[in-house]
Amino acid sequence: MKVSDGMNYAPKGKPQPVVKPGEFVFSAVRLDHGHIYGMTNALLEAGGTLKYVYDPDEAKVAQFVKTYPQVQVARSEEEALGDRDTHMIAGAAVTSERCPLGLRAMAAGKDYFTDKAPFTTLAQLDSAKSMVAETGKKYMVYYSERLHVEGAILAGYMIEQGEIGKVIHVEGFGPHRLGKAGRPAWFFEREKYGGILCDIGSHQIEQYLHFAGEEDARVTHSRIGNYANPDYPELDDFGDCSIVGAKGTTNYFRVDWFTPDGLSTWGDGRTIILGTEGYIEIRKYVDIASGTPGGNHIYLVNGKGEKHIDATGTTGYPFFGQLILDCLNRTENAMTQAHAFKAAELCLQAQAQAMVVTK
Amino acid sequence: MKVSDGMNYAPKGKPQPVVKPGEFVFSAVRLDHGHIYGMTNALLEAGGTLKYVYDPDEAKVAQFVKTYPQVQVARSEEEALGDRDTHMIAGAAVTSERCPLGLRAMAAGKDYFTDKAPFTTLAQLDSAKSMVAETGKKYMVYYSERLHVEGAILAGYMIEQGEIGKVIHVEGFGPHRLGKAGRPAWFFEREKYGGILCDIGSHQIEQYLHFAGEEDARVTHSRIGNYANPDYPELDDFGDCSIVGAKGTTNYFRVDWFTPDGLSTWGDGRTIILGTEGYIEIRKYVDIASGTPGGNHIYLVNGKGEKHIDATGTTGYPFFGQLILDCLNRTENAMTQAHAFKAAELCLQAQAQAMVVTK
């Protein structure tokens, strides 16, 4: 896996359909972030049927159609949202526009599946909560750095099986390649992307809540900075955050845009999960200078010894099939709405209360 | 290197004497922590001449004499401190007694070299500062996790050579094996060991200040907990800390006593140094499940690519020879007094202001 930046990270897995063609129909609305391809791949592999695509930018639509020739181009957002067959609207809008789109989709009776981060303000989160309460529809989030990474999924299973005892602390490292030239203007505008802790920090918080089994938590410290990008003063190129969960577990994560040019992929993402009886380190996308290609490396150390496990090909991406069934059956097996919203809330709080460490 | 716990970590290096026999004389006073062996080895390798040993515990003295048969047993602390030939008193007392011993040594006209942490209270630090001002003697500290680890020393050189650009952030992970049965009672008494951030946290802060080139800094957040050792309620088995330097760099570190039984050494100590042009990860004592034995693994990622460097045998331990020459020439090449004290001050502050995350 050699990709130029995280924006084009769209893993393909083994098809594991949970429904027959036509039983679960989704449409793609707003293609501002390349994650829409990862979302679409995963829903298709899980058996979803792609109906419409809509984006005001014709070039983006053309690229999408080239990738998924079966898709119909909607003439307007309304056409996609108003379609009777469609169960779910999948969207990767500009971050600040994700919630308004979601509210429209839910008002139209659809479940909504958005790229992360799902919100840029707490007011948006509140309005989404109200809409969920009102309509019973789902506002689900593509937290790809866990849901679309087999190393992270297998690590979750290992924790459930007790391999490291009781989880007490989770550390996440989410460096990303900046690739300034290839980024759209909104990526650098704070109001639109929401800040680094809101944006790529949201992955980290979701992972913490999942691995630690926490349903509630509070941000105890957070910091942001712009160390090396004075040409984009609204960009945070660094952020970190400390969280304490309601059960007493702790989290620290660091996110940054400093992936060096010489790294063989877009970011050396890692997660360390410390338990009372052992720990797991996930080297998600690369095991630097190891001679072992690819990602999904799990390192497990516990009472039995030290172990390296290549998780590639072991788990697939069960979230997406579960999500389809959750939509059809009105269950919450893939992810609870409360979990998706709690991660979002914490990343907004982390961003809002962050200490600025650079001038 | 397979050792049961960090308490017995006493690396041996290649002798690189900077003085002739008898030119620099030191004595070992108080053997409460096994680090005294690492300190003694290193001073001997750098050309120091060991004269006296003193400890009230005869068994500890007997073991020391067995290891260093050339040593003379002093009948009292006064005999060792009062010796005319002696330049330096090296000590590894119970943490809370390190400063009183140092004050006595300096009052007797000797430089003092203590195991970390050098203090358990800010009042002790103040008294040591006064004594330094009054006597001109040194109060130096064995921050072994950098000074006695070739991977850390070589990483420092690589940073100085600009391999990762400007340092912006340092992360340190200092898990240690608890080995409860082999620990003395004082190890579990808060007043005596000072708390986890004071104790093993002191290494981490010293490394941060060194790698980031910071002379001043402040603790912005810290946490402690006792997750799994209710039988020792005064033990912190977990701690972490965030620091911001005066130049705007940031630090995070985590320390804990959760090294699993199956790890091949006493702790998977790591340091990650993030720069504007690359990053370095030091896997200090073990590269887990890598098939590559030993420690001192440096992983460098920058514009040129990903690189693994085995630092074993590359640098030796230059601190100790420099320290001897500093004592003889009244210079500060090994470490400034201000640096040694700043690391101590910050670890005391981190401990004092820590949020307790467990009940």
Side-chain angles (χ1 to χ4, degrees):
Chain A
M1 183 182 63
K2 165 117 183 174
V3 286
S4 64
D5 63 55
M7 201 141 180
N8 299 317
Y9 181 68
K12 279 196 177 180
K14 210 165 45 176
Q16 295 182 302
V18 298
V19 287
K20 297 198 186 97
E23 284 185 356
F24 179 83
V25 177
F26 71 101
S27 293
V29 174
R30 303 308 293 259
L31 316 174
D32 291 291
H33 197 292
H35 276 165
I36 192 68
Y37 290 90
M39 298 160 72
T40 302
N41 288 349
L43 289 171
L44 289 172
E45 288 158 12
T49 300
L50 173 62
K51 184 158 182 180
Y52 283 118
V53 62
Y54 175 74
D55 192 280
D57 180 340
E58 284 179 17
K60 285 198 178 74
V61 170
Q63 195 200 334
F64 194 85
V65 171
K66 206 170 151 190
T67 310
Y68 308 105
Q70 73 270 41
V71 76
Q72 300 174 49
V73 178
R75 284 156 296 181
S76 65
E77 184 185 290
E78 292 70 29
E79 185 173 6
L81 265 55
D83 178 63
R84 280 206 185 178
D85 299 337
T86 299
H87 295 88
M88 173 189 277
I89 299 299
V94 168
T95 314
S96 58
E97 296 170 25
R98 288 172 189 168
C99 180
L101 172 59
L103 297 180
R104 293 194 296 275
M106 294 160 87
K110 311 303 179 195
D111 288 315
Y112 181 51
F113 183 41
T114 180
D115 187 23
K116 62 31 69 188
F119 308 103
T120 51
T121 68
L122 286 164
Q124 286 184 345
L125 170 60
D126 285 342
S127 64
K129 282 183 178 173
S130 300
M131 187 60 92
V132 167
E134 204 177 301
T135 63
K137 293 297 161 190
K138 291 177 186 293
Y139 191 116
M140 281 290 121
V141 186
Y142 180 61
Y143 291 115
S144 55
E145 294 188 19
R146 183 176 65 85
L147 306 176
H148 228 160
V149 176
E150 289 187 295
I153 297 163
L154 186 59
Y157 295 163
M158 290 163 71
I159 293 165
E160 282 166 26
Q161 283 154 21
E163 289 283 4
I164 60 168
K166 198 166 172 279
V167 171
I168 60 177
H169 179 68
V170 177
E171 279 152 5
F173 307 96
H176 284 62
R177 176 164 289 140
L178 185 50
K180 260 186 212 183
R183 298 279 179 183
W186 66 266
F187 178 85
F188 300 99
E189 296 169 32
R190 179 172 302 272
E191 206 185 325
K192 291 187 177 157
Y193 83 97
I196 194 170
L197 296 175
C198 167
D199 177 16
I200 49 179
S202 62
H203 290 294
Q204 298 296 332
I205 295 176
E206 193 280 330
Q207 286 170 83
Y208 159 61
L209 294 176
H210 179 79
F211 290 133
E214 290 281 8
E215 293 178 4
D216 198 8
R218 67 197 168 99
V219 175
T220 54
H221 188 54
S222 59
R223 306 184 288 198
I224 53 172
N226 180 325
Y227 282 101
N229 292 281
D231 47 339
Y232 290 105
E234 293 187 25
L235 177 74
D236 307 323
D237 58 23
F238 174 87
D240 69 359
C241 177
S242 297
I243 297 176
V244 177
K247 295 177 184 167
T249 68
T250 52
N251 173 235
Y252 170 79
F253 71 84
R254 180 246 306 168
V255 283
D256 68 73
W257 291 103
F258 285 106
T259 290
D261 290 344
L263 190 78
S264 56
T265 188
W266 57 269
D268 184 3
R270 309 235 201 142
T271 310
I272 295 172
I273 306 134
L274 180 64
T276 50
E277 307 295 332
Y279 62 95
I280 287 171
E281 176 182 358
I282 318 168
R283 301 178 189 163
K284 289 184 164 184
Y285 316 113
V286 59
D287 194 356
I288 48 169
S290 66
T292 314
N296 297 306
H297 299 275
I298 295 180
Y299 287 84
L300 168 69
V301 183
N302 59 17
K304 287 177 231 153
E306 305 171 7
K307 205 166 164 184
H308 171 227
I309 299 140
D310 182 352
T312 304
T314 59
T315 63
Y317 307 113
F319 171 83
F320 303 94
Q322 291 168 348
L323 177 62
I324 287 175
L325 295 176
D326 278 349
C327 290
L328 294 176
N329 305 330
R330 311 319 292 169
T331 49
E332 291 205 310
N333 296 315
M335 180 181 289
T336 67
Q337 187 62 69
H339 175 87
F341 280 166
K342 183 54 69 179
E345 178 189 338
L346 291 167
C347 78
L348 291 167
Q349 285 170 349
Q351 187 71 39
Q353 71 187 60
M355 170 187 296
V356 181
V357 293
T358 51
K359 280 120 205 169
Chain B
M1 182 183 62
K2 165 115 185 176
V3 284
S4 64
D5 63 56
M7 202 141 180
N8 299 318
Y9 181 68
K12 279 196 176 181
K14 209 165 46 179
Q16 294 181 302
V18 299
V19 286
K20 297 198 187 96
E23 284 185 358
F24 179 83
V25 177
F26 71 100
S27 293
V29 174
R30 304 308 295 259
L31 316 174
D32 291 292
H33 197 293
H35 277 166
I36 192 69
Y37 290 91
M39 299 161 72
T40 302
N41 287 349
L43 290 171
L44 289 172
E45 289 158 12
T49 300
L50 173 62
K51 186 160 181 181
Y52 283 119
V53 61
Y54 175 74
D55 193 280
D57 180 340
E58 283 179 18
K60 286 198 177 74
V61 170
Q63 194 199 336
F64 194 85
V65 170
K66 206 171 153 190
T67 311
Y68 308 106
Q70 74 270 42
V71 75
Q72 299 174 51
V73 178
R75 283 155 297 180
S76 65
E77 184 186 290
E78 292 69 29
E79 184 173 8
L81 265 53
D83 178 62
R84 281 206 185 178
D85 299 337
T86 300
H87 295 88
M88 173 189 277
I89 300 299
V94 168
T95 314
S96 58
E97 296 169 25
R98 288 171 190 168
C99 180
L101 171 61
L103 298 180
R104 294 193 297 274
M106 295 161 87
K110 311 303 179 193
D111 289 315
Y112 181 52
F113 183 41
T114 179
D115 186 23
K116 62 37 65 188
F119 307 103
T120 50
T121 70
L122 285 163
Q124 287 185 344
L125 170 61
D126 285 342
S127 65
K129 282 183 179 174
S130 300
M131 187 60 92
V132 166
E134 204 177 300
T135 63
K137 293 296 162 188
K138 292 177 186 293
Y139 192 116
M140 281 289 120
V141 185
Y142 180 61
Y143 292 115
S144 55
E145 294 188 18
R146 182 176 66 85
L147 308 174
H148 228 161
V149 176
E150 289 187 296
I153 297 163
L154 185 60
Y157 294 162
M158 290 164 70
I159 293 165
E160 282 165 25
Q161 284 155 19
E163 289 283 5
I164 60 168
K166 198 166 172 282
V167 171
I168 60 177
H169 179 69
V170 177
E171 278 153 6
F173 307 96
H176 284 61
R177 177 164 291 140
L178 185 50
K180 260 186 212 183
R183 299 278 178 184
W186 65 266
F187 178 86
F188 301 99
E189 296 169 32
R190 179 171 302 271
E191 205 186 324
K192 291 188 177 156
Y193 82 96
I196 194 169
L197 296 174
C198 167
D199 177 16
I200 52 179
S202 62
H203 290 294
Q204 298 295 332
I205 296 177
E206 193 281 329
Q207 286 171 83
Y208 159 61
L209 295 174
H210 179 80
F211 289 133
E214 292 280 8
E215 293 178 3
D216 198 8
R218 67 197 166 99
V219 175
T220 55
H221 188 55
S222 59
R223 306 184 286 199
I224 53 172
N226 180 326
Y227 282 101
N229 291 282
D231 46 339
Y232 290 105
E234 294 188 24
L235 176 75
D236 306 323
D237 58 24
F238 174 88
D240 69 359
C241 176
S242 297
I243 296 176
V244 176
K247 296 176 182 168
T249 67
T250 52
N251 173 233
Y252 169 79
F253 72 84
R254 179 247 307 168
V255 283
D256 68 73
W257 291 103
F258 284 106
T259 290
D261 289 343
L263 191 79
S264 55
T265 187
W266 57 269
D268 184 4
R270 309 238 200 142
T271 310
I272 295 173
I273 306 133
L274 179 66
T276 51
E277 308 294 333
Y279 62 95
I280 287 171
E281 176 182 358
I282 318 168
R283 300 180 190 164
K284 290 184 164 185
Y285 317 112
V286 59
D287 194 355
I288 47 169
S290 66
T292 314
N296 297 304
H297 299 275
I298 295 181
Y299 286 84
L300 168 69
V301 184
N302 60 16
K304 288 177 230 153
E306 304 170 7
K307 207 167 162 184
H308 171 226
I309 299 138
D310 182 352
T312 304
T314 60
T315 64
Y317 307 113
F319 171 83
F320 303 93
Q322 291 168 349
L323 176 62
I324 287 175
L325 295 175
D326 279 350
C327 290
L328 295 176
N329 305 329
R330 312 318 294 168
T331 49
E332 291 206 310
N333 296 315
M335 179 181 289
T336 67
Q337 187 63 69
H339 175 87
F341 280 167
K342 183 55 70 179
E345 178 188 337
L346 291 167
C347 79
L348 291 167
Q349 285 170 349
Q351 186 72 40
Q353 70 186 61
M355 169 188 295
V356 182
V357 294
T358 49
K359 282 121 206 167

